[in-house]
Amino acid sequence: MFTRIDHIGVAVEDLDAAIKLYERNFEMELVHRETVESEGVEAVLLDVGDGHVELLAPLGPDTPVGKFIAKKGVGIHHVAYAVEDIDATLAQLKETGTRLIDEEARTGIRQSRVAFLHPAATGSVLTEIVEPAESH
Ligand code: CO
């Protein structure tokens, strides 16, 4: 069902400080930066092999990531698996009764199509599935 790990999402408070850590200390390349208003985050992607680390800084305390940080602190937020056909994967998950946050795919970072599964269905690991845009 999943083809590979696409990215690990990490909640941070200071985006520029976190970018420096990954760039300088871990020699990872910043490849994308985007404010996703609908998600309430400023997000960046850093390359590691054919996967990424996605750093997420909340635009405010009332956003999902802002609430996450208030409750659990900064750190790992979600894991994202790549899929070839997100509509087919969602249909398959619905068929097996997997609880979803997103019934339909929506536009995610870098024009990907994404959907989140409910942590209640994933052993409390917030799980995203992502169909990357063609060029990625
Ligand atoms: Co993500």
Side-chain angles (χ1 to χ4, degrees):
M1 181 178 278
F2 304 148
T3 57
R4 62 185 172 82
I5 293 174
D6 185 83
H7 65 265
I8 303 291
V10 178
V12 305
E13 272 174 335
D14 183 337
L15 191 57
D16 289 314
I19 291 168
K20 272 183 198 158
L21 168 71
Y22 282 84
E23 278 186 328
R24 287 189 190 166
N25 297 19
F26 303 153
E27 300 181 340
M28 287 166 64
E29 190 188 352
L30 180 72
V31 291
H32 186 74
R33 185 168 186 149
E34 180 177 346
T35 297
V36 190
E37 295 281 352
S38 60
E39 305 275 329
V41 293
E42 185 174 8
V44 301
L45 293 171
L46 297 113
D47 267 355
V48 53
D50 62 355
H52 314 284
V53 168
E54 180 182 70
L55 302 177
L56 304 161
L59 295 177
D62 256 356
T63 60
V65 175
K67 288 177 190 162
F68 174 91
I69 290 173
K71 200 172 162 191
K72 295 187 175 173
V74 296
I76 289 187
H77 180 261
H78 65 273
V79 58
Y81 297 99
V83 299
E84 273 173 14
D85 180 341
I86 196 167
D87 300 315
T89 304
L90 282 171
Q92 200 178 335
L93 288 168
K94 278 180 212 169
E95 222 165 83
T96 55
T98 301
R99 196 165 154 200
L100 304 171
I101 292 175
D102 299 305
E103 297 279 328
E104 303 292 336
R106 53 197 171 82
T107 303
I109 193 166
R110 207 158 57 168
Q111 295 304 308
S112 57
R113 297 181 70 221
V114 305
F116 280 89
L117 280 52
H118 199 283
T122 58
S124 296
V125 178
L126 183 59
T127 300
E128 176 183 5
I129 55 175
V130 51
E131 181 186 312
E134 281 299 321
S135 52
H136 304 290

